Amino acid sequence: MDVRAKKALGQHFLTDQSIAKSIVDALAQDSEVPGVLEIGPGMGVLTKYLLQREDIDPVMIEIDKESVDYLLTHFDGIEGKIIEGDYLKLDVTGLFEGKYRVIGNFPYNISSQIFFKILEDKDRVPEVVCMIQKEVADRIAERPGTKVYGILSVLLQAWYDIEYVLSVGPGAFAPPPKVKSAVIRLKRNSRTELGCDEKLFKTVVKTAFNQRRKTLRNALKPLLKEGADTTDPVFDLRAEKLSVEDFIALTALLS
Ligand code: SAH
């Protein structure tokens, strides 16, 4: 029997096999990093193709007991590879030797939190392939100067090159979600450090976008020290105009 879809867990099961295969194929052939973490395998539509790949040694994390039981009864040799639990609380430290990659049709309600958690481990995660809500994918992949460019775009683009893989309509899922979906691929860029305080960089980006309609001079007021010099023309701009490099320069100005 199939798993009963639970809305609260963001369960929309992909039923289109050719799309499932394309998603797994989007993960590069890379025998250097066999460890792959699949977030939210559900009934295993991606897992099936992951298990077929010689270069991949997957581990699955799934919060839903019913899905875990389903996977255990439908896939041979999966015991020991599947963890029942919440990815957001998972300690990945000892799970893989060194680096690992991430794949998943993410639960859309927590996709931003998933990305923030991946960013915390960015130096161990060279590649991510995931399906998310199309609107979020557009935002992440967007360039500066557009309305949807935001916090996740800057923080992810600072460390990853983002590639739009494909769009997926609601009909490819059971039950169909209300929104369109898209698959993106994140590949770690060569940046090893920002050249400015990383914590302050995150704070600056978040603060600037939280009041995105204000100029940076006003939006960043809470971060400015007494009598801080804001004559630099960058302070006349709004957050959405700034590239990753601009935010790095701005952070340096503020520290
Ligand atoms: N990969 C499957 C299921 C996608 S739906 C498919 O493509 O069909 C999202 C899956 O994530 C569900 O199975 C859901 O139970 C699981 N999930 C939701 N929140 C989770 C969390 N915090 N940690 C791990 N898995 C989670």
Side-chain angles (χ1 to χ4, degrees):
M1 228 184 46
D2 284 359
V3 172
R4 186 177 44 87
K6 298 160 203 76
K7 216 174 174 183
L9 295 178
Q11 288 182 340
H12 296 277
F13 299 110
L14 180 67
T15 50
D16 187 314
Q17 294 296 320
S18 73
I19 294 175
K21 186 164 188 308
S22 306
I23 295 172
V24 174
D25 284 347
L27 208 58
Q29 287 284 335
D30 182 1
S31 43
E32 300 275 296
V33 189
V36 170
L37 181 65
E38 186 190 357
I39 301 173
M43 287 195 282
V45 67
L46 300 181
T47 317
K48 178 170 102 185
Y49 295 104
L50 281 173
L51 290 168
Q52 287 173 7
R53 278 191 44 178
E54 302 275 333
D55 62 321
I56 286 176
D57 190 7
V59 173
M60 280 67 73
I61 172 96
E62 171 58 64
I63 202 168
D64 176 37
K65 183 173 190 308
E66 197 184 342
S67 295
V68 172
D69 291 343
Y70 180 95
L71 292 164
L72 287 171
T73 52
H74 286 77
F75 291 90
D76 281 340
I78 208 176
E79 298 88 11
K81 292 182 195 277
I82 176 154
I83 303 165
E84 183 183 335
D86 181 350
Y87 165 68
L88 297 176
K89 296 187 184 139
L90 178 69
D91 181 3
V92 191
T93 321
L95 217 51
F96 300 96
E97 242 176 77
K99 296 185 178 181
Y100 63 96
R101 300 183 277 160
V102 173
I103 193 166
N105 291 343
F106 291 171
Y108 296 173
N109 50 337
I110 57 164
S111 57
S112 299
Q113 286 156 275
I114 293 175
F115 288 121
F116 286 122
K117 174 150 174 151
I118 290 172
L119 278 170
E120 282 170 28
D121 216 10
K122 59 187 183 299
D123 291 331
R124 286 183 73 202
V125 183
E127 189 185 14
V128 180
V129 172
C130 59
M131 177 130 67
I132 51 180
Q133 190 175 334
K134 183 172 183 298
E135 198 190 301
V136 179
D138 289 341
R139 189 176 310 159
I140 289 172
E142 201 45 272
R143 307 310 304 170
T146 57
K147 274 212 184 81
V148 297
Y149 180 70
I151 296 172
L152 264 184
S153 335
V154 179
L155 298 183
L156 283 173
Q157 288 174 24
W159 303 103
Y160 288 91
D161 294 333
I162 317 238
E163 192 189 311
Y164 195 94
V165 179
L166 62 120
S167 308
V168 183
F173 302 84
K178 289 207 175 71
V179 296
K180 289 184 191 150
S181 304
V183 179
I184 56 170
R185 176 168 177 259
L186 279 59
K187 198 174 171 296
R188 187 73 170 78
N189 62 25
S190 56
R191 198 190 293 278
T192 51
E193 53 186 50
L194 289 178
C196 68
D197 183 295
E198 208 175 310
K199 208 169 151 231
L200 183 60
F201 172 79
K202 277 190 247 174
T203 309
V204 168
V205 172
K206 287 182 182 171
T207 313
F209 279 107
N210 279 338
Q211 308 234 24
R212 60 184 299 146
R213 294 166 55 137
K214 293 190 178 173
T215 64
L216 293 169
R217 187 171 293 111
N218 289 320
L220 295 178
K221 267 218 174 99
L223 301 180
L224 295 172
K225 297 182 191 114
E226 272 283 312
D229 177 10
T230 60
T231 52
D232 191 296
V234 73
F235 289 102
D236 296 324
L237 302 175
R238 292 174 180 181
E240 65 197 34
K241 288 281 184 225
L242 270 61
S243 66
V244 169
E245 302 306 327
D246 294 333
F247 270 110
I248 292 172
L250 176 63
T251 305
L253 278 181
L254 295 179
S255 39

